[in-house]
Each structure stands twice: as C-alpha cells, then as structure tokens.
C-alpha cells in the first residue's frame, strides 16, 4: 500500500537552480525569435502604411509573440518534474516546477510526480527460540529530480518493492538473533537498527543509502516499525497452551479436593468434568465414566465445595 504526502522543498530548490543554469540558451533563442517577429511586423507595417503602420505592425507583432509564446515555454506544476525530448538530438532534459523556456523542437516526454511516498508492508520473521513474529513497517521515500532518468527506468512499483525488500531483510537479520519476548518489547531498537543499516557504510566505502539513490533514483527519508507481535498461528498456539494450563490447574484442584473429601478421582475424569461444566464437550458423555453421571457430578461438586447430595438436585445450594 502506498500513500503520498507533500514533497520536501530543500532538494527541489537546489535542483531548480541547476536546471535554471541550463536554460539560458533557450531564453536567448526565444528572445531572438521574438525580436525578429516584432522587427519584421513593424517593418511590413511601416512599408505599407507609413508611420501609422509602425504602430499597427508592432501590435500585430506583439499578438504573434503572444501566440507563439506557448511553443517556447513549458509550465511545470508543483511537486512535479518534466522530462522533454529533443526532436533532433534525441537528448532528454529535466525541468522542475516553474515556468521554463525551451526550444520549439523539444517535446514533453513524461510528467513525473515528486511526492513523498509512504510504502507500508509487513513480514514474518522467525526468532532465535522458534516463534514467528509478524512485523509491520513503512518506508518513506522521494524521487530525486537529479536522478529522474534512473527512476524512470525502474518505475515506482519496482523502487517500492526494492526498498521494502531491503527493509524486510534487515528486520529478519535482527529478529533471527533474538528471542521472541525480547523482540516484542524492542520496537525502537529494531527501528534504529533498520535506519542504521540504510545509512551504514557499504563494502566499497559508500553508504547503502547512496547506492539505493544511484540504482533507483530515490531518496530514503525515513523507515519506521509500526507493529511487532506474534504471527496468527503462534498466537493461536500460545492461547491454546494458556487455556490448557488453566484447565489443568482447575482439574488439579478438583482432584485434590476430591481426595480430601474421601472420593478420589483421576485427572482425566476431572478434565472431562470441566469441559462439560464449561459447555465445551469434546467427548461423548459416556467417556466420563458410565451411567451414574449424577453421582460423579455430585462428587465433583463436593470436591469444589458445593457439598450437595442427590436428593437436593435442582434446589439452591
């Protein structure tokens, strides 16, 4: 899942300065063309109508310049970059937000949004002591305007998949070295570890962050761990174990109580009685111990402190 928020402005301003320094040739060319149009219009007007035609020619020339202005300029909206293609040289040029002068033979090839993308993902990691952990995380990243050709070759989906795959790999490395109980309470440590791995030094002395920029044309702004817990199967197994322990503790109390009351029973019978009394019968009633069910239940009631007898059945204790 990908969300977007407003882009950062610092990189945008720096890249705009670079692009503005590359646009003077187009500005000079446009001024020359506009000057020629105005001079020719004024000259034709003066030749046809004399001194009066000079003003008329100037007005016509200004109208022609206003019409042709669209062929010499490019308007780029906020949070967007544009890549143009030169018809003759087949070279690409990149433009940030604003109004730009371009050559008439430059055509718009693609508009690329510069939003900050928030990629949300999750992974299942195995801890050192066995249980699996379900970890949710997010990666915030932004397209680099000075690396647009690389980003365009990879695309948004490929860049997002690569970033989340690397984050999941770092998370798995950290979780695999620790026990499950420690992982559940160390969200901040895990988050710091992933951030350090993204910004740490690589084998060639370059940061992994820089390698990502060069490979995908993006800038990783932030990594965040949003949730750490056991996966669904592990949670079910832990809940089953917890319930089983509760039943065994209660059954042990019944066995001990029945022994003190002089009517000893086996552990399995006590467990069966608990399942029946809880309304969770998973075995047939005959497995409890035959037809005299009333006597058995009364023994359990006595063991639990009820002290009822069969003649009081149905009455309040």
């Amino acid at each position: 899942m990908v969300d977007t928020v407003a882009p950062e402005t610092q990189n945008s301003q720096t890249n705009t300065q670079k692009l503005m320094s590359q646009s003077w040739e187009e500005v000079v060319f446009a001024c020359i063309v506009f000057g020629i149009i105005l001079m020719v219009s004024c000259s034709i007007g003066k030749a046809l109508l004399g001194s009066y035609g000079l003003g008329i020619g100037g007005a016509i020339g200004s109208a022609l310049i206003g019409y042709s202005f669209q062929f010499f300029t490019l308007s780029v909206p906020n949070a967007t970059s544009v890549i143009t293609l030169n018809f003759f040289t087949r070279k690409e040029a990149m433009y940030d937000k604003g109004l730009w002068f371009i050559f008439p033979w430059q055509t718009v090839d693609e508009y690329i949004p510069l939003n900050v993308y928030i990629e949300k993902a999750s992974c299942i990691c195995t801890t050192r002591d066995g249980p699996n952990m379900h970890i949710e995380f997010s990666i915030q990243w932004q397209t680099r305007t000075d690396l647009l050709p690389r980003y365009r070759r990879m695309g948004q989906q490929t860049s997002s998949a690569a970033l989340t795959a690397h984050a999941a790999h770092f998370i798995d490395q950290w979780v695999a070295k620790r026990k499950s109980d420690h992982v559940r309470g160390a969200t901040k440590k895990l988050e710091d570890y992933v951030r350090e791995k993204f910004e740490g030094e690589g084998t060639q002395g370059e940061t992994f962050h820089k390698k990502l920029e060069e490979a995908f044309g993006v800038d990783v702004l932030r990594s965040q761990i949003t949730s750490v817990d056991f996966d669904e199967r592990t949670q079910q197994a832990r809940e089953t174990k917890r319930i089983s322990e509760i039943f065994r503790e209660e059954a042990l109390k019944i066995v001990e109580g029945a022994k003190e009351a002089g009517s000893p029973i086996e552990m399995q019978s006590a467990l069966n009685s608990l399942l029946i009394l809880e309304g969770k019968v998973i075995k047939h009633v005959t497995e409890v111990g035959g037809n005299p069910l009333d006597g058995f239940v009364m023994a359990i009631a006595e063991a639990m402190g009820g002290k009822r007898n069969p003649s009081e059945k149905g009455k309040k204790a």
Side-chain angles (χ1 to χ4, degrees):
M1 180 180 178
V2 181
D3 296 335
T4 58
V5 296
E8 301 291 335
T9 58
Q10 184 174 359
N11 284 344
S12 179
Q13 292 174 355
T14 302
N15 294 326
T16 300
Q17 292 173 358
K18 290 181 180 179
L19 293 171
M20 286 180 65
S21 65
Q22 300 171 2
S23 301
W24 289 112
E25 294 179 0
E26 291 92 328
V27 173
V28 171
F29 179 79
C31 290
I32 292 174
V33 173
F34 294 159
I36 292 174
I37 292 174
L38 189 61
M39 289 176 59
V40 171
S41 299
C42 291
S43 299
I44 294 175
K46 184 177 180 180
L48 295 178
L49 302 174
S51 58
Y52 293 103
L54 187 62
I56 296 175
I60 294 175
S62 298
L64 291 174
I65 291 174
Y67 174 77
S68 60
F69 192 79
Q70 59 183 313
F71 302 106
F72 292 85
T73 57
L74 173 66
S75 179
V76 182
N78 291 334
T80 307
S81 281
V82 172
I83 295 181
T84 63
L85 183 65
N86 191 304
F87 179 80
F88 297 108
T89 64
R90 311 308 296 176
K91 290 184 178 180
E92 294 179 340
M94 297 173 292
Y95 297 91
D96 205 351
K97 64 179 180 179
L99 183 66
W100 302 91
F101 283 92
I102 61 174
F103 294 118
W105 50 86
Q106 285 181 258
T107 58
V108 174
D109 191 39
E110 186 176 358
Y111 284 88
I112 300 179
L114 299 178
N115 294 315
V116 175
Y117 294 94
I118 304 176
E119 180 72 21
K120 299 177 181 179
S122 63
C123 59
I124 303 295
C125 304
T126 303
T127 57
R128 190 177 70 183
D129 55 338
N132 292 332
M133 307 299 296
H134 179 261
I135 300 175
E136 297 179 357
F137 61 95
S138 64
I139 301 292
Q140 294 184 17
W141 59 275
Q142 183 180 23
T143 308
R144 285 280 301 273
T145 55
D146 55 340
L147 296 173
L148 280 181
R150 291 173 187 164
Y151 171 75
R152 190 171 59 152
R153 285 195 299 269
M154 304 307 296
Q156 177 187 331
Q157 291 185 348
T158 301
S159 299
S160 293
L163 294 175
T164 53
H166 280 98
H169 175 67
F170 297 148
I171 292 171
D172 186 65
Q173 282 183 331
W174 190 87
V175 171
K177 298 177 182 179
R178 290 161 176 81
K179 292 185 177 181
S180 55
D181 290 337
H182 175 71
V183 172
R184 290 187 72 187
T187 302
K188 185 64 169 59
K189 292 182 179 179
L190 175 56
E191 189 173 282
D192 292 340
Y193 175 81
V194 174
R195 185 180 301 111
E196 289 174 2
K197 293 296 288 186
F198 269 115
E199 299 175 0
E201 294 292 331
T203 56
Q204 304 299 325
E206 298 178 345
T207 64
F208 183 77
H209 191 177
K210 185 173 179 61
K211 290 183 178 181
L212 280 178
E213 292 176 353
E214 294 177 351
F216 299 98
V218 301
D219 186 12
V220 179
L221 305 177
R222 184 184 182 190
S223 57
Q224 183 179 13
I225 305 300
T226 56
S227 174
V228 177
D229 204 348
F230 293 108
D231 73 330
E232 186 175 352
R233 292 183 62 182
T234 303
Q235 289 187 40
Q236 291 176 351
R238 288 172 64 89
E239 181 65 15
T240 300
K241 183 179 178 181
R242 186 185 68 84
I243 294 175
S244 176
E245 290 175 350
I246 292 175
F247 267 86
R248 293 194 67 84
E249 290 175 1
E250 293 298 323
L252 185 59
K253 292 178 181 179
I254 293 175
V255 171
E256 292 176 350
K259 185 178 180 180
E260 292 177 359
S263 303
I265 60 174
E266 297 179 355
M267 175 66 77
Q268 187 60 46
S269 298
L271 287 172
N272 287 341
S273 69
L274 281 175
L275 293 174
I276 293 172
L277 293 174
E278 288 292 328
K280 299 178 180 178
V281 181
I282 57 175
K283 296 185 178 182
H284 197 273
V285 175
T286 55
E287 293 186 34
V288 174
N291 219 6
L293 181 59
D294 288 343
F296 175 79
V297 174
M298 293 314 302
I300 297 300
E302 290 180 3
M304 297 179 69
K307 302 293 182 181
R308 293 192 301 171
N309 58 57
S311 63
E312 297 174 337
K313 184 180 178 182
K315 297 181 182 180
K316 247 184 171 179

Short mmCIF file of all heavy atoms in Angstrom, two decimals, residues 135-139 166-167 170-171 173-175 178 182-183 185-201 208 220-226 228:
data_model
loop_
_atom_site.label_atom_id
_atom_site.label_comp_id
_atom_site.label_asym_id
_atom_site.label_seq_id
_atom_site.Cartn_x
_atom_site.Cartn_y
_atom_site.Cartn_z
N ILE A 135 5.67 -8.50 11.69
CA ILE A 135 6.17 -7.15 11.87
C ILE A 135 5.68 -6.26 10.72
O ILE A 135 5.87 -6.59 9.54
CB ILE A 135 7.71 -7.14 11.92
CG1 ILE A 135 8.17 -8.00 13.10
CG2 ILE A 135 8.26 -5.72 12.04
CD1 ILE A 135 9.67 -8.17 13.20
N GLU A 136 5.05 -5.16 11.07
CA GLU A 136 4.59 -4.18 10.08
C GLU A 136 5.51 -2.97 10.11
O GLU A 136 5.93 -2.53 11.19
CB GLU A 136 3.14 -3.75 10.39
CG GLU A 136 2.14 -4.90 10.30
CD GLU A 136 0.73 -4.46 10.63
OE1 GLU A 136 0.55 -3.26 10.98
OE2 GLU A 136 -0.19 -5.30 10.55
N PHE A 137 5.82 -2.44 8.93
CA PHE A 137 6.75 -1.32 8.85
C PHE A 137 6.39 -0.44 7.66
O PHE A 137 5.54 -0.80 6.82
CB PHE A 137 8.20 -1.81 8.71
CG PHE A 137 8.44 -2.65 7.47
CD1 PHE A 137 8.93 -2.07 6.30
CD2 PHE A 137 8.19 -4.01 7.47
CE1 PHE A 137 9.15 -2.83 5.17
CE2 PHE A 137 8.42 -4.79 6.34
CZ PHE A 137 8.89 -4.19 5.19
N SER A 138 7.00 0.73 7.61
CA SER A 138 6.76 1.64 6.49
C SER A 138 8.08 2.29 6.08
O SER A 138 8.98 2.47 6.91
CB SER A 138 5.74 2.73 6.86
OG SER A 138 6.24 3.55 7.91
N ILE A 139 8.18 2.62 4.80
CA ILE A 139 9.35 3.28 4.25
C ILE A 139 8.88 4.56 3.54
O ILE A 139 7.99 4.50 2.69
CB ILE A 139 10.10 2.39 3.23
CG1 ILE A 139 10.55 1.09 3.90
CG2 ILE A 139 11.30 3.13 2.65
CD1 ILE A 139 11.63 1.27 4.93
N HIS A 166 14.54 -4.74 0.96
CA HIS A 166 15.75 -4.50 1.75
C HIS A 166 15.40 -4.29 3.23
O HIS A 166 16.09 -4.80 4.12
CB HIS A 166 16.49 -3.27 1.21
CG HIS A 166 17.32 -3.56 0.01
ND1 HIS A 166 16.89 -3.31 -1.28
CD2 HIS A 166 18.56 -4.10 -0.13
CE1 HIS A 166 17.82 -3.67 -2.13
NE2 HIS A 166 18.85 -4.16 -1.46
N ALA A 167 14.34 -3.54 3.50
CA ALA A 167 13.93 -3.31 4.89
C ALA A 167 13.54 -4.62 5.56
O ALA A 167 13.93 -4.88 6.71
CB ALA A 167 12.77 -2.32 4.94
N PHE A 170 16.66 -6.59 6.47
CA PHE A 170 17.31 -6.06 7.67
C PHE A 170 16.56 -6.47 8.93
O PHE A 170 17.16 -6.83 9.95
CB PHE A 170 17.40 -4.54 7.60
CG PHE A 170 18.25 -4.02 6.47
CD1 PHE A 170 17.95 -2.82 5.85
CD2 PHE A 170 19.33 -4.75 6.02
CE1 PHE A 170 18.73 -2.35 4.82
CE2 PHE A 170 20.12 -4.29 4.98
CZ PHE A 170 19.82 -3.09 4.38
N ILE A 171 15.22 -6.41 8.88
CA ILE A 171 14.38 -6.81 10.02
C ILE A 171 14.60 -8.28 10.35
O ILE A 171 14.76 -8.66 11.51
CB ILE A 171 12.90 -6.52 9.72
CG1 ILE A 171 12.66 -5.01 9.66
CG2 ILE A 171 12.00 -7.15 10.79
CD1 ILE A 171 11.28 -4.63 9.16
N GLN A 173 17.19 -10.13 9.73
CA GLN A 173 18.52 -10.31 10.31
C GLN A 173 18.51 -10.01 11.81
O GLN A 173 19.10 -10.76 12.61
CB GLN A 173 19.52 -9.37 9.62
CG GLN A 173 19.99 -9.83 8.26
CD GLN A 173 21.02 -8.89 7.68
OE1 GLN A 173 21.02 -7.70 7.97
NE2 GLN A 173 21.89 -9.40 6.83
N TRP A 174 17.85 -8.95 12.20
CA TRP A 174 17.82 -8.54 13.61
C TRP A 174 17.00 -9.51 14.45
O TRP A 174 17.43 -9.91 15.54
CB TRP A 174 17.26 -7.13 13.70
CG TRP A 174 17.39 -6.50 15.05
CD1 TRP A 174 18.46 -5.79 15.54
CD2 TRP A 174 16.41 -6.49 16.09
NE1 TRP A 174 18.21 -5.36 16.81
CE2 TRP A 174 16.96 -5.77 17.18
CE3 TRP A 174 15.13 -7.03 16.21
CZ2 TRP A 174 16.26 -5.57 18.36
CZ3 TRP A 174 14.44 -6.83 17.39
CH2 TRP A 174 14.99 -6.11 18.45
N VAL A 175 15.83 -9.90 13.95
CA VAL A 175 14.93 -10.78 14.71
C VAL A 175 15.54 -12.17 14.90
O VAL A 175 15.39 -12.78 15.97
CB VAL A 175 13.57 -10.88 14.00
CG1 VAL A 175 12.69 -11.95 14.64
CG2 VAL A 175 12.85 -9.53 14.03
N ARG A 178 17.52 -12.89 18.14
CA ARG A 178 16.94 -12.57 19.45
C ARG A 178 15.74 -13.46 19.77
O ARG A 178 15.10 -13.98 18.86
CB ARG A 178 16.53 -11.09 19.49
CG ARG A 178 17.75 -10.17 19.49
CD ARG A 178 17.41 -8.76 19.08
NE ARG A 178 18.59 -7.90 19.19
CZ ARG A 178 19.53 -7.84 18.24
NH1 ARG A 178 19.41 -8.57 17.16
NH2 ARG A 178 20.58 -7.04 18.41
N HIS A 182 11.95 -10.75 23.77
CA HIS A 182 12.77 -9.54 23.63
C HIS A 182 12.34 -8.74 22.41
O HIS A 182 12.30 -7.50 22.46
CB HIS A 182 14.25 -9.92 23.51
CG HIS A 182 15.15 -8.76 23.24
ND1 HIS A 182 15.43 -7.79 24.18
CD2 HIS A 182 15.81 -8.38 22.11
CE1 HIS A 182 16.23 -6.88 23.66
NE2 HIS A 182 16.48 -7.21 22.41
N VAL A 183 12.01 -9.43 21.33
CA VAL A 183 11.62 -8.74 20.09
C VAL A 183 10.35 -7.94 20.30
O VAL A 183 10.23 -6.80 19.83
CB VAL A 183 11.43 -9.76 18.94
CG1 VAL A 183 10.84 -9.08 17.71
CG2 VAL A 183 12.76 -10.40 18.59
N GLY A 185 9.25 -6.37 22.82
CA GLY A 185 9.41 -5.14 23.59
C GLY A 185 10.53 -4.24 23.11
O GLY A 185 10.95 -3.35 23.83
N ALA A 186 11.01 -4.47 21.89
CA ALA A 186 12.17 -3.71 21.41
C ALA A 186 11.89 -3.07 20.05
O ALA A 186 12.75 -3.08 19.17
CB ALA A 186 13.39 -4.61 21.33
N THR A 187 10.72 -2.50 19.91
CA THR A 187 10.35 -1.87 18.64
C THR A 187 11.30 -0.74 18.27
O THR A 187 11.74 -0.63 17.11
CB THR A 187 8.91 -1.33 18.70
OG1 THR A 187 8.02 -2.41 19.01
CG2 THR A 187 8.50 -0.72 17.37
N LYS A 188 11.63 0.11 19.23
CA LYS A 188 12.51 1.25 18.97
C LYS A 188 13.92 0.78 18.56
O LYS A 188 14.53 1.34 17.64
CB LYS A 188 12.60 2.12 20.22
CG LYS A 188 13.38 3.42 20.02
CD LYS A 188 12.70 4.33 19.01
CE LYS A 188 13.31 5.72 18.99
NZ LYS A 188 14.74 5.72 18.66
N LYS A 189 14.43 -0.25 19.23
CA LYS A 189 15.76 -0.77 18.88
C LYS A 189 15.76 -1.33 17.46
O LYS A 189 16.73 -1.14 16.71
CB LYS A 189 16.18 -1.84 19.88
CG LYS A 189 16.44 -1.30 21.27
CD LYS A 189 16.90 -2.42 22.20
CE LYS A 189 17.20 -1.88 23.60
NZ LYS A 189 17.63 -2.96 24.53
N LEU A 190 14.70 -2.04 17.11
CA LEU A 190 14.61 -2.59 15.76
C LEU A 190 14.54 -1.47 14.73
O LEU A 190 15.20 -1.53 13.67
CB LEU A 190 13.36 -3.48 15.65
CG LEU A 190 13.05 -4.04 14.25
CD1 LEU A 190 14.23 -4.82 13.70
CD2 LEU A 190 11.81 -4.93 14.32
N GLU A 191 13.78 -0.43 15.02
CA GLU A 191 13.67 0.71 14.11
C GLU A 191 15.02 1.40 13.92
O GLU A 191 15.39 1.76 12.79
CB GLU A 191 12.63 1.69 14.67
CG GLU A 191 12.25 2.81 13.73
CD GLU A 191 11.10 3.62 14.28
OE1 GLU A 191 9.95 3.15 14.19
OE2 GLU A 191 11.36 4.72 14.82
N ASP A 192 15.75 1.57 15.02
CA ASP A 192 17.08 2.19 14.93
C ASP A 192 18.03 1.32 14.12
O ASP A 192 18.87 1.84 13.36
CB ASP A 192 17.65 2.41 16.34
CG ASP A 192 16.89 3.48 17.11
OD1 ASP A 192 16.19 4.28 16.46
OD2 ASP A 192 16.98 3.49 18.35
N TYR A 193 17.91 0.01 14.27
CA TYR A 193 18.78 -0.91 13.53
C TYR A 193 18.55 -0.79 12.02
O TYR A 193 19.50 -0.72 11.24
CB TYR A 193 18.53 -2.34 13.99
CG TYR A 193 19.30 -3.38 13.21
CD1 TYR A 193 20.62 -3.67 13.49
CD2 TYR A 193 18.67 -4.09 12.18
CE1 TYR A 193 21.32 -4.62 12.78
CE2 TYR A 193 19.37 -5.05 11.46
CZ TYR A 193 20.69 -5.31 11.77
OH TYR A 193 21.37 -6.26 11.05
N VAL A 194 17.28 -0.77 11.63
CA VAL A 194 16.96 -0.66 10.20
C VAL A 194 17.46 0.67 9.65
O VAL A 194 18.03 0.73 8.55
CB VAL A 194 15.43 -0.80 9.98
CG1 VAL A 194 15.08 -0.54 8.51
CG2 VAL A 194 14.96 -2.18 10.39
N ARG A 195 17.30 1.74 10.42
CA ARG A 195 17.77 3.06 9.97
C ARG A 195 19.30 3.06 9.80
O ARG A 195 19.83 3.59 8.82
CB ARG A 195 17.34 4.13 10.96
CG ARG A 195 17.70 5.55 10.49
CD ARG A 195 17.26 6.60 11.50
NE ARG A 195 15.82 6.56 11.72
CZ ARG A 195 15.25 6.15 12.84
NH1 ARG A 195 15.99 5.77 13.86
NH2 ARG A 195 13.94 6.15 12.96
N GLU A 196 19.99 2.45 10.75
CA GLU A 196 21.44 2.39 10.66
C GLU A 196 21.90 1.57 9.45
O GLU A 196 22.90 1.90 8.82
CB GLU A 196 22.01 1.78 11.95
CG GLU A 196 21.89 2.71 13.16
CD GLU A 196 22.33 2.02 14.44
OE1 GLU A 196 22.76 0.84 14.35
OE2 GLU A 196 22.23 2.65 15.51
N LYS A 197 21.17 0.50 9.16
CA LYS A 197 21.54 -0.33 8.01
C LYS A 197 21.36 0.42 6.70
O LYS A 197 22.17 0.28 5.77
CB LYS A 197 20.72 -1.62 7.99
CG LYS A 197 21.00 -2.55 9.14
CD LYS A 197 22.42 -3.08 9.10
CE LYS A 197 22.63 -4.09 8.00
NZ LYS A 197 23.98 -4.70 8.05
N PHE A 198 20.31 1.23 6.62
CA PHE A 198 20.09 2.02 5.40
C PHE A 198 21.18 3.08 5.24
O PHE A 198 21.56 3.42 4.13
CB PHE A 198 18.72 2.70 5.43
CG PHE A 198 17.64 1.89 4.80
CD1 PHE A 198 16.58 1.41 5.56
CD2 PHE A 198 17.65 1.60 3.44
CE1 PHE A 198 15.57 0.65 4.98
CE2 PHE A 198 16.65 0.84 2.85
CZ PHE A 198 15.61 0.36 3.63
N GLU A 199 21.68 3.60 6.35
CA GLU A 199 22.64 4.69 6.28
C GLU A 199 24.08 4.23 6.54
O GLU A 199 25.01 5.03 6.48
CB GLU A 199 22.28 5.76 7.32
CG GLU A 199 20.91 6.37 7.08
CD GLU A 199 20.51 7.34 8.17
OE1 GLU A 199 21.32 7.52 9.10
OE2 GLU A 199 19.41 7.91 8.10
N GLY A 200 24.27 2.91 6.80
CA GLY A 200 25.59 2.41 7.13
C GLY A 200 26.51 2.32 5.92
O GLY A 200 26.09 2.45 4.77
N GLU A 201 27.80 2.09 6.19
CA GLU A 201 28.79 2.02 5.14
C GLU A 201 28.71 0.69 4.41
O GLU A 201 28.51 -0.35 5.01
CB GLU A 201 30.20 2.18 5.74
CG GLU A 201 30.44 3.56 6.34
CD GLU A 201 30.50 4.65 5.28
OE1 GLU A 201 30.88 4.34 4.15
OE2 GLU A 201 30.17 5.80 5.59
N PHE A 208 24.94 2.60 1.98
CA PHE A 208 23.90 1.85 1.30
C PHE A 208 22.84 2.80 0.76
O PHE A 208 22.25 2.58 -0.30
CB PHE A 208 23.28 0.86 2.27
CG PHE A 208 22.23 -0.02 1.65
CD1 PHE A 208 22.59 -1.09 0.86
CD2 PHE A 208 20.89 0.24 1.85
CE1 PHE A 208 21.62 -1.89 0.28
CE2 PHE A 208 19.92 -0.55 1.28
CZ PHE A 208 20.30 -1.63 0.49
N VAL A 220 15.72 7.80 0.40
CA VAL A 220 15.00 7.24 1.54
C VAL A 220 15.00 8.27 2.66
O VAL A 220 16.04 8.66 3.17
CB VAL A 220 15.66 5.93 2.03
CG1 VAL A 220 14.91 5.38 3.24
CG2 VAL A 220 15.67 4.91 0.91
N LEU A 221 13.81 8.72 3.05
CA LEU A 221 13.67 9.76 4.06
C LEU A 221 13.52 9.21 5.47
O LEU A 221 14.05 9.76 6.42
CB LEU A 221 12.48 10.66 3.74
CG LEU A 221 12.48 11.30 2.34
CD1 LEU A 221 11.20 12.08 2.12
CD2 LEU A 221 13.70 12.19 2.16
N ARG A 222 12.79 8.08 5.59
CA ARG A 222 12.54 7.55 6.93
C ARG A 222 12.07 6.10 6.84
O ARG A 222 11.35 5.73 5.93
CB ARG A 222 11.48 8.39 7.64
CG ARG A 222 11.20 7.97 9.08
CD ARG A 222 10.07 8.78 9.68
NE ARG A 222 9.82 8.41 11.07
CZ ARG A 222 8.78 8.82 11.78
NH1 ARG A 222 7.90 9.62 11.23
NH2 ARG A 222 8.63 8.45 13.03
N SER A 223 12.49 5.30 7.81
CA SER A 223 11.97 3.94 7.97
C SER A 223 11.37 3.84 9.37
O SER A 223 11.94 4.35 10.33
CB SER A 223 13.08 2.90 7.79
OG SER A 223 14.14 3.14 8.70
N GLN A 224 10.22 3.18 9.48
CA GLN A 224 9.51 3.12 10.76
C GLN A 224 8.90 1.75 10.98
O GLN A 224 8.33 1.16 10.05
CB GLN A 224 8.41 4.19 10.79
CG GLN A 224 7.65 4.27 12.11
CD GLN A 224 6.59 5.36 12.09
OE1 GLN A 224 6.25 5.90 11.04
NE2 GLN A 224 6.07 5.70 13.26
N ILE A 225 9.03 1.22 12.21
CA ILE A 225 8.38 -0.02 12.60
C ILE A 225 7.06 0.35 13.27
O ILE A 225 7.06 1.06 14.28
CB ILE A 225 9.26 -0.83 13.57
CG1 ILE A 225 10.64 -1.09 12.97
CG2 ILE A 225 8.58 -2.15 13.92
CD1 ILE A 225 10.65 -1.86 11.69
N THR A 226 5.95 -0.13 12.73
CA THR A 226 4.63 0.28 13.24
C THR A 226 3.99 -0.77 14.14
O THR A 226 3.13 -0.43 14.96
CB THR A 226 3.69 0.59 12.07
OG1 THR A 226 3.62 -0.56 11.20
CG2 THR A 226 4.20 1.77 11.26
N VAL A 228 4.78 -4.87 16.13
CA VAL A 228 5.56 -6.10 16.34
C VAL A 228 4.74 -7.02 17.23
O VAL A 228 4.40 -6.66 18.37
CB VAL A 228 6.92 -5.81 17.00
CG1 VAL A 228 7.66 -7.11 17.26
CG2 VAL A 228 7.76 -4.89 16.13
#
